[in-house]
Amino acid sequence: MSMIFFACVVRVRDGLPLSASTDFHFNQDFLECRKRLKALSSILARYPSRGTAKGRDLSIHFLSSGDIACMAICSSNYSTIMAFCFLEELQWEFAASYDTTSISLASRPYAFLEFDNVIQKVKWHFNCTSGSRAKVNWEKVEEEMKFQPPVELKLEDAELMNGLANGGHAEVHVEVVPTYRMQRVTPLGILSLVLNIMCGALNLIRGVHLAEHSFQEDHEVIGNVIAFFLPFLACVFQCYLYLFYSSTRKVKTFILFFLVCSCNVYLYGLRNVWQIAFHIGVASLSSYQILTRQLMEKQPDCGV
């Protein structure tokens, strides 16, 4: 299948991975190609701005500009021009999101973890749509490649093999795909989970009871049924966001909090002021716990 399998953004001077797509492939050829990509990322400063490392089934494409380089693993039959269109768009998105100072000061791998959401979106666009937006840049990239063709490497090149074998820069960053480990669950966090589960159960019970009544006698109160079920789902997702890492957590947290607040205000009359205040208070506590529980800053095991 002709497609992009993996993409990442690295810092050129030392190969430090800044962000990467979070998809997992367990094919042995792909895992081996990822190791070659890691080795290549540590020596990008030796090469021109564009390059391709060809393999039998998979190829690595890279595009560097200034402090950063975007890299991708694609199937070997994927269009080289389209691959560089993808890398150009990814590079533009990253440059628009982060300044050179923050890139230079990054001291740990995947410092811009949240950018994986953008990588996934752009990758999906190139894999799953007609790529009309990419075709606009097709002629421009094709013309640039005529004047400055990408350097061509082989995945089996001795230089990449040496990068895998030695204990230098290529060994500094052990994983290409980040692992998401959250900080410990606090007692206040456990309390917020218990209260959230209780609020979710109350919403579900009231919603089911009201649904039975409305479907039998009154079809006009369907809005109230929905207003009970939506906060139930919001409570479930708030528990999930607290326990597990998710990209754009802040946005999702505010959306869920707004949903709980608006639905409880809508239910005024079926709930009194104190009940509404309790549900909104629990949602506030849960939102605060989600936003304050961060990823663990685990330092890489460096063989330096």
Side-chain angles (χ1 to χ4, degrees), residues 5-19:
F5 291 105
F6 175 81
C8 65
V9 183
V10 303
R11 190 165 60 192
V12 172
R13 75 169 187 258
D14 54 5
L16 180 76
L18 302 174
S19 191

Side-chain angles (χ1 to χ4, degrees), residues 274-294:
W274 293 109
Q275 289 173 323
I276 292 173
F278 174 74
H279 282 269
I280 292 177
V282 171
S284 301
L285 176 62
S286 297
S287 299
Y288 174 76
Q289 290 300 307
I290 292 169
L291 296 175
T292 53
R293 189 175 184 224
Q294 302 296 325

Side-chain angles (χ1 to χ4, degrees), residues 116-136:
D116 74 317
N117 194 46
V118 178
I119 297 177
Q120 296 284 58
K121 183 175 68 174
V122 177
K123 185 161 70 70
W124 178 88
H125 171 78
F126 276 80
N127 281 339
C128 304
T129 70
S130 60
S132 56
R133 183 169 51 172
K135 288 175 183 175
V136 175

Side-chain angles (χ1 to χ4, degrees), residues 27-157:
N27 177 280
Q28 189 59 41
D29 290 338
F30 176 80
L31 295 175
E32 187 65 28
C33 192
R34 254 180 46 195
K35 292 178 183 178
R36 307 297 172 98
L37 181 143
K38 179 181 67 175
L40 178 59
S41 68
S42 66
I43 54 174
L44 281 178
R46 304 180 191 177
Y47 295 109
S49 59
R50 276 194 183 95
T52 297
K54 290 270 186 189
R56 187 183 64 180
D57 299 317
L58 297 171
S59 296
I60 299 172
H61 304 278
F62 63 87
L63 176 68
S64 57
S65 176
D67 295 333
I68 65 166
C70 296
M71 307 181 74
I73 297 177
C74 308
S75 52
S76 290
N77 59 349
Y78 190 78
S79 165
T80 302
I81 297 175
M82 189 63 79
F84 282 108
C85 287
F86 165 73
L87 293 175
E88 278 206 357
E89 184 161 343
L90 204 61
Q91 193 174 72
W92 186 90
E93 291 280 358
F94 192 85
S97 302
Y98 307 102
D99 56 53
T100 54
T101 303
S102 58
I103 294 169
S104 298
L105 294 177
S107 58
R108 60 185 177 87
Y110 309 105
F112 308 106
L113 198 60
E114 66 280 358
F115 189 72
D116 74 317
N117 194 46
V118 178
I119 297 177
Q120 296 284 58
K121 183 175 68 174
V122 177
K123 185 161 70 70
W124 178 88
H125 171 78
F126 276 80
N127 281 339
C128 304
T129 70
S130 60
S132 56
R133 183 169 51 172
K135 288 175 183 175
V136 175
N137 294 328
W138 178 285
E139 292 184 2
K140 170 178 168 287
V141 173
E142 186 177 31
E143 194 69 22
E144 289 176 354
M145 288 176 63
K146 285 180 182 177
F147 287 103
Q148 188 182 2
V151 61
E152 292 193 5
L153 308 169
K154 294 287 185 183
L155 284 182
E156 296 78 15
D157 274 357

Side-chain angles (χ1 to χ4, degrees), residues 206-207 210 220-229 266-267 270:
R206 290 290 302 274
L210 193 61
E220 294 182 359
V221 296
I222 190 66
N224 293 332
V225 175
I226 295 172
F228 277 115
F229 282 139
Y266 180 84
L267 290 171
L270 292 176

